[in-house]
Amino acid sequence: MCGIVGAVAGRDVVAILLEGLKRLEYRGYDSAGVAIQNAEGVLDRMRVTGKVRDLESCLTGRPFVGHLGIAHTRWATHGRPADCNAHPHTSHDTVAVVHNGIIENHEALRIRLEDLGYDFTSDTDTEVIAHLVHHHRLQQPSLWHAVRIAVSELVGAYAIGVVSTTDPGRLVAARLGSPLVVGIGVDEQFIASDVTALLSVTRHFVFLEDGDVAELTQTGVTIHDAAGQIVGRPIKKSEVSADAINLGDFVHYMQKEIHEQSTAIADTLEGRLSGHRILEEAFGPLARGVFDETRCIQIVACGTSYHAGLVARYWFEAIAGIPCTVEVASEFRYRRPVVSPGTLVVCISQSGETADTLAALQETKRLGYAHSLAICNVPESSIVREAELTLMTRAGPEIGVASTKAFTCQLVALLLLVIAIGRRHGLGLVREAEIVAELAALPVLIEKVLRLEGAIRVLAKQLLDKHHALFLGRGTQYPVAMEGALKLKEISYIHAEAYPAGELKHGPLALIDAQMPVVALAPDNELLEKLRSNLQEVRARGGQFFLFADTAANFQDAPDMRVVRMPSVGSTTAPVVYTVPLQLLAYHTAAIKGTNVDQPRNLAKSVTVE
Ligand code: F6R
């Protein structure tokens, strides 16, 4: 779960590599490194524990120039964050490798290579690749041949970039199970873990497929597929603009992305609604047949995307009238689920590269599930390519590690799916029109909630010295509370848990005291009175409340209760709207605390390892 970038050009590539790494830091940021082949044909390498800016500082004022190079930003899997474990890894100062993924048979390969006389200087699984390529290059006519044989011996997942002093001006790249794109420039070629890394140098990309091995020179790219045949993969023009990944006037990407939600939702709805109805065509030409056959739904996802699935479960059963189960992908993939006929598997993923979700999707195919659909934010991602149907969220690039706009767009996309399926199970035109009206109103409502930011920032100050927090909701607000708790813990490092408010008296009430802030969600719906009683149970025991409540619910500020008055919202789309203040609360708590909001410790944006 690292980021890799590589370049071969007629100009110095160091600045291109560093810029690419900065764009990829969301994938990992515990160490970084770069290797280039310099004018004398010698490999020059620099690695540091820390961020790309630390690497950049180390290079300042040092002669470090080359027309061919590879670079890496790391999220440690094998071996702690340390200079010696940072990539690129080299063999005999000849071969250098950057790698994203996990080599499962690295121990066996290490023993074999040690027997052949290779010395290891790191604890990583990647170093075996460098030595393996070096070993094969001794017998093979080119670096490309050596890499091809080396990757055939690897078990696991990899996206790699390899250079060797034996093959000046050549960069070899290969992928299996980890993402890798080739950027096509004018007399210069690049590789990277995703397109955003290369937008400053090209808009034209080839998406390598599993098993591909590509050779890049200044003038072109040759791709061989898994069978060793030369293949022409299509060149696609990226629609992502370089502006979309600039911070603008915001302090952090997370804040920017929270504020982009009304536009992102409007974009996700665009062309998918017509009058009072949703357009089923949005799901592609095969959708009609698939939906006709669908009898139940199995959702698989991780983290925030899993929370979107939990909200959707309420919708599928209450609105569409069909059974729905939701499971975290890392559990689902190793369970032996009973496959019900007519089950549509719905995978939800911002990145489309989450290893557990992808593997769960592949497992459902093996198990004979009827159909699959991906809700995803990255069009060329592995999950999109693997699923039978797709519905893209149009949140735009999400850089902050904590997912925000992708989540609310996932909810919107899921609601479109609920309607499409519900039509086959008794959802009438009137109800559909009501939900469509609620969807269309979301962008304006979210703008209104964003205007509460100042009041929420004041609340955030009161959380600063707390070590724990409880989040409460009922119905669809329970998964929203779970998402709020996840946001708070991942970026502010305050421990937070969510409970369905009715469950408190079965145990968690014992935790309540003045040091345990309770964040509760109170839209004006059929559960409001029940929630009111649950809140009384907490107040009677000295709990301190932060309440996000519908203005009409008429809660009043009190010494033990801070109320943020929310606009009136439709009962179906309330989970989308009530997510936003919790994102702001987590964001401001972390920002005031001074944590690294966009790159919280120990995490990475795209979890491409198990
Ligand atoms: C939390 C967060 C993660 C992701 C999870 C799945 O803020 O972002 O929990 O939601 O790693 O990622 P995707 O959606 O890319 O599959």
Side-chain angles (χ1 to χ4, degrees), residues 302-305 348-354 357 383 398 401-403 410 483 486-487 490 604-607:
C302 299
T304 288
S305 298
I348 311 170
S349 176
Q350 187 283 129
S351 62
E353 301 295 348
T354 299
T357 310
I383 288 174
E398 195 179 63
V401 163
S403 187
Q410 285 167 350
E483 175 57 10
L486 176 62
K487 288 291 90 97
E490 70 181 324
K605 181 77 183 158
S606 184
V607 187

Side-chain angles (χ1 to χ4, degrees), residues 93 243 249 270 304 377 402 425 449 545:
D93 293 331
D243 273 358
D249 291 335
E270 196 195 313
T304 288
N377 199 39
H425 299 267
V449 176
F545 264 110

Side-chain angles (χ1 to χ4, degrees), residues 324-402:
C324 173
T325 45
V326 191
E327 194 160 350
V328 286
S330 55
E331 286 300 313
F332 178 85
R333 63 182 286 197
Y334 292 116
R335 201 161 64 74
R336 290 201 208 119
V338 176
V339 183
S340 304
T343 301
L344 173 65
V345 173
V346 178
C347 287
I348 311 170
S349 176
Q350 187 283 129
S351 62
E353 301 295 348
T354 299
D356 283 321
T357 310
L358 178 61
L361 174 58
Q362 288 161 342
E363 181 65 6
T364 59
K365 288 187 173 172
R366 209 184 58 73
L367 291 170
Y369 276 84
H371 298 291
S372 64
L373 182 147
I375 290 183
C376 191
N377 199 39
V378 181
E380 302 299 339
S381 61
S382 305
I383 288 174
V384 167
R385 279 183 277 134
E386 190 79 35
E388 192 182 348
L389 303 180
T390 50
L391 184 63
M392 300 311 302
T393 47
R394 299 187 189 127
E398 195 179 63
I399 311 275
V401 163

